[in-house]
Amino acid sequence: MYEPIRTKSVHSMAEPTPDFPHRTREEELDIRLAGHLTALLTVTDELRAHTPHPGLDDAAQRLAEQAARLRDGRAPLRAAPSTTEPDTAHIAALHQRAHTLAGWALVVATSRNDTAASTLAAERLEAHAAALGLTEA
């Protein structure tokens, strides 16, 4: 009627320590924040190419510095801006994308208590909101 189990459980045969590395929550947040800042840098570079402005130059420099800090000093890859003639809708779409990316970066930076990145993301969020006319003058 009852026969005892003669083999070991698959759970007991599992290795006590897995053979693949695990990242901590902080490491995962660093990777995610660096990704958001690098994506925001790409959109900022595109905007700089089509609508040159000293504020965008400063923002690009600060974004590159923050992304490099999060990536242990490795500079982020910079994409070449497109060569198409921009129209008003294209510029607005770039500002919308940058606004979204800055918001995501702000959420991650806030969750990891990164004051420098939070401040930068909030500034970029406000700048792109102003460019889109989402804020009161």
Side-chain angles (χ1 to χ4, degrees):
M1 194 160 7
Y2 171 76
E3 184 174 341
I5 299 173
R6 295 187 180 139
T7 60
K8 290 185 176 182
S9 163
V10 294
H11 300 292
S12 66
M13 292 189 302
E15 294 180 37
T17 56
D19 60 349
F20 55 89
H22 286 283
R23 291 190 280 255
T24 64
R25 180 178 187 274
E26 290 77 23
E27 291 169 328
E28 289 292 339
L29 289 174
D30 284 350
I31 292 166
R32 180 172 287 183
L33 181 56
H36 290 321
L37 292 176
T38 301
L40 182 56
L41 175 60
T42 301
V43 176
T44 302
D45 283 342
E46 185 81 12
L47 282 167
R48 286 175 55 219
H50 297 305
T51 57
H53 187 274
L56 289 173
D57 295 339
D58 178 55
Q61 178 64 30
R62 292 173 59 206
L63 287 166
E65 289 169 0
Q66 288 298 317
R69 177 182 60 87
L70 292 165
R71 298 179 73 232
D72 297 324
R74 292 174 300 174
L77 295 175
R78 306 283 291 260
S82 66
T83 56
T84 59
E85 264 317 295
D87 58 356
T88 307
H90 179 68
I91 298 299
L94 287 173
H95 279 293
Q96 181 62 49
R97 180 71 179 146
H99 184 265
T100 301
L101 289 166
W104 291 346
L106 180 59
V107 168
V108 177
T110 302
S111 72
R112 65 180 298 276
N113 295 322
D114 189 331
T115 306
S118 294
T119 303
L120 178 58
E123 289 172 5
R124 299 316 310 149
L125 189 69
E126 289 175 14
H128 294 294
L132 290 167
L134 300 176
T135 60
E136 296 175 13

